[in-house]
Amino acid sequence: MSHIRSRFNAPAAKPVVEYTSSLPFDKRLYRHDIAGSIAHTKMLAKQAIIPQQDANTIIKYLTSIAGEIEQGKFEFKAELEDIHMAIESRLFELTGEIAGKLHTARSRNDQVALDMRLFTKEAISETVVRLRFLQQSLVELAEENKDVVMPGYTHLQTAQPVLFAHHLLAYFEMFQRDAERFGEALKRTDVMPLGSGALAGVAYDIDRDFVARELGFSQISRNSMDAVSDRDFVIEYLAAASICMMHLSRLAEEVIIWSSAEFGFIELDDAYATGSSIMPQKKNPDVAELARGRVGRTYGNLIALLTTMKALPLSYNRDLQEDKEALFDSVDTLLPSLEVFSGMISSLKIKKENMERAASRDYILATDLADYLVSRGETFRNAHGITARLVSYAAETGKALNRLSLSEYKRFSPLFNKDALAISKSSSVAARNIAGGTAPQQVEKAIDRAKEMIGKSNKGGF
Ligand code: ARG
């Protein structure tokens, strides 16, 4: 639109137009931009700043512009700097001079801040919905397999038996915190900046609360200079998205390991696996690998915007235009990742026998034997030493702990009795009947609690 260059004697050089334009990516904000303009126009008329009839015309044509864009009929002209100018210039074509009234008491600086807040609010809601679906898939899989025992690991070395459901619910907790984090970010995103103008506020008797209500914001910004230059709400989304992708990458890693022939704990559904172009036997976990790989982009976007904003003086600076691609890319990375993971988890085939066989190997019950000695009066440190010697004896003789005789046990401590031989992976799991532990009773409760949390969130809570 030429009028913003009225004081210049020459049009911008072509490379400058290309260098400065955000239209190729910010056209994605068209709905938010038009919604903001409609609310602003209604307010201008209500406050008698522009005639009601002009407002009606503007609103009518803004609505039809939205339709044009949706139907792919809108021509995005490269010379128009951004989506705000593109829409306003089309409005001029359709209404003539009336269009010039839309931008009364507004600047692109508060306009773009508004659009970004509207977009981020929507992105947060969609993210939380998808997180809930993923949590639901985890809880369902946990419930369907609530008796399955698997080896728990530390250092990826067999540690103690745990319920597979307990392992899955660990991820439920991570995604719960993620949902809460997005919920927290929403509170600070839900602030309406229009009325801040270019930076100092506007010199018209506008009704900011009306605009906030029209657009579904619960608050208005308190400082115009902050409002046009702050993007920490975007940074919060990017940070929460990075943490969430990091959690997904951990789950991805488990899926990758578990589906290997060496572990054989799960089999991916055909719909969620890929083949190899050369090795016909392969069933590859590419979905999990790509999620693991894409975490990098979300970290990159976070660092990019943090760096863009570092040391930016008040108030608006064009640098801020860099917020958009970072945000869009993280949203476009996270949302589909959450979606495919729900499907992948729901359709996993669990190989119970392999998990349970692995949970019976490798002296996994050594801690339980030490605990047994403690229950018979030994100190834990001594019990640890006795059991360690017993394990190395068993390893030397090539026997599993439950293949040793009672007299062999007694060689290491007179406190061993027949019941020591009855220790099993299920007694081990059942013994950890402590809040947050892996005993079936506890896991049962955790499943119920998880379902309740999902139910609550469906009603709008976190
Ligand atoms: N495309 C710009 C952005 O994304 C819109 C605001 C432009 N404001 C300005 N004063 N040049 O930040």
Side-chain angles (χ1 to χ4, degrees), residues 225-280:
M225 298 181 81
D226 175 42
V228 294
S229 66
D230 151 50
R231 295 291 183 274
D232 54 18
F233 64 96
V234 179
I235 293 175
E236 283 196 61
Y237 184 92
L238 297 179
S242 297
I243 297 173
C244 184
M245 281 298 290
M246 177 274 290
H247 286 152
L248 273 180
S249 79
R250 298 184 66 186
L251 181 55
E253 179 71 12
E254 311 260 25
V255 167
I256 293 163
I257 296 175
W258 292 347
S259 63
S260 68
E262 287 70 15
F263 273 74
F265 288 179
I266 56 171
E267 188 181 334
L268 290 170
D269 189 81
D270 286 353
Y272 287 87
T274 45
S276 155
S277 55
I278 175 163
M279 297 164 283

Side-chain angles (χ1 to χ4, degrees), residues 182-195:
F182 281 108
E184 273 300 311
L186 180 61
K187 288 188 207 160
R188 287 178 287 277
T189 306
D190 190 14
V191 177
M192 205 291 295
L194 277 192

Side-chain angles (χ1 to χ4, degrees), residues 317-341:
N317 296 276
R318 191 62 178 272
D319 315 43
L320 292 173
Q321 182 167 294
E322 291 296 306
D323 61 352
K324 288 170 200 63
E325 284 166 295
L327 176 61
F328 297 161
D329 186 68
S330 281
V331 171
D332 293 343
T333 302
L334 180 57
L335 292 183
S337 300
L338 290 170
E339 187 181 358
V340 288
F341 263 65

Side-chain angles (χ1 to χ4, degrees), residues 141-143 145-146 148 163-170 443 447:
L141 190 64
E143 193 163 35
N145 297 280
K146 64 178 175 202
V148 178
L163 289 187
F164 175 55
H166 194 54
H167 195 130
L168 290 174
L169 290 181
V443 172
I447 291 175

Side-chain angles (χ1 to χ4, degrees), residues 4 20-23 25-26 29 81-85 107-113 116 198 228 231 316-324:
I4 62 165
T20 55
S21 173
S22 51
L23 191 55
F25 48 88
D26 73 7
L29 294 173
E81 222 175 83
D82 51 32
I83 187 64
H84 327 293
M85 301 310 270
S107 151
R108 269 187 301 158
N109 297 353
D110 55 358
Q111 186 178 358
V112 73
M116 287 299 280
V228 294
R231 295 291 183 274
Y316 178 83
N317 296 276
R318 191 62 178 272
D319 315 43
L320 292 173
Q321 182 167 294
E322 291 296 306
D323 61 352
K324 288 170 200 63

